Amino acid sequence: MDDPAVQQLAEAFARTIQHDREVIKAAEEHLKSVSQQSGYGIAVLKVIAAGDALGTDVRLAAAVNFKNLVKYRWVPTELAQETGTQPIPDAEKVGYACVRCTMPLIA
């Protein structure tokens, strides 16, 4: 992986599946803080698309994270808006489709 931001995300997802609860908690807090940054969803998609380089567990953790990102921020709920969760900008939503079109199909 050439992109340092994507590599850092992959490392954070790897920490979310460790056995040490403190490591998991720190990784989740890190992901929560960076999830509000522009381009986060596209970087997560790149982690998912990394293939065997990262391992199935890391890619699965990223996929679940992306699912939740879309669920809660595509059209934010009233609760999400009350907590300051920002909706995904329309331009970024288009970027998701572009990245997804370049990903290989997973059987």
Side-chain angles (χ1 to χ4, degrees):
M1 236 176 305
D2 296 335
D3 187 341
V6 174
Q7 182 62 39
Q8 287 179 342
L9 274 181
E11 291 169 2
F13 287 123
R15 289 192 302 273
T16 66
I17 56 177
Q18 298 298 311
H19 296 289
D20 185 337
R21 186 70 195 135
E22 292 302 315
V23 172
I24 295 169
K25 186 175 179 179
E28 289 172 345
E29 288 298 319
H30 172 72
L31 290 169
K32 183 177 179 181
S33 69
V34 298
S35 71
Q36 295 295 317
Q37 297 176 1
S38 178
Y40 173 79
I42 292 172
V44 174
L45 282 174
K46 289 179 180 179
V47 171
I48 297 166
D52 294 335
L54 294 179
T56 305
D57 292 345
V58 172
R59 293 173 51 225
L60 181 59
V64 170
N65 180 274
F66 184 76
K67 185 264 312 173
N68 289 332
L69 174 74
V70 169
K71 179 178 179 179
Y72 295 108
R73 291 187 50 211
W74 197 270
V75 178
T77 63
E78 190 175 307
L79 176 62
Q81 291 172 344
E82 289 174 4
T83 61
T85 300
Q86 298 297 315
I88 299 168
D90 289 339
E92 195 166 321
K93 290 176 184 178
V94 171
Y96 294 173
C98 292
V99 171
R100 178 61 189 107
C101 289
T102 63
M103 294 172 66
L105 293 175
I106 301 172

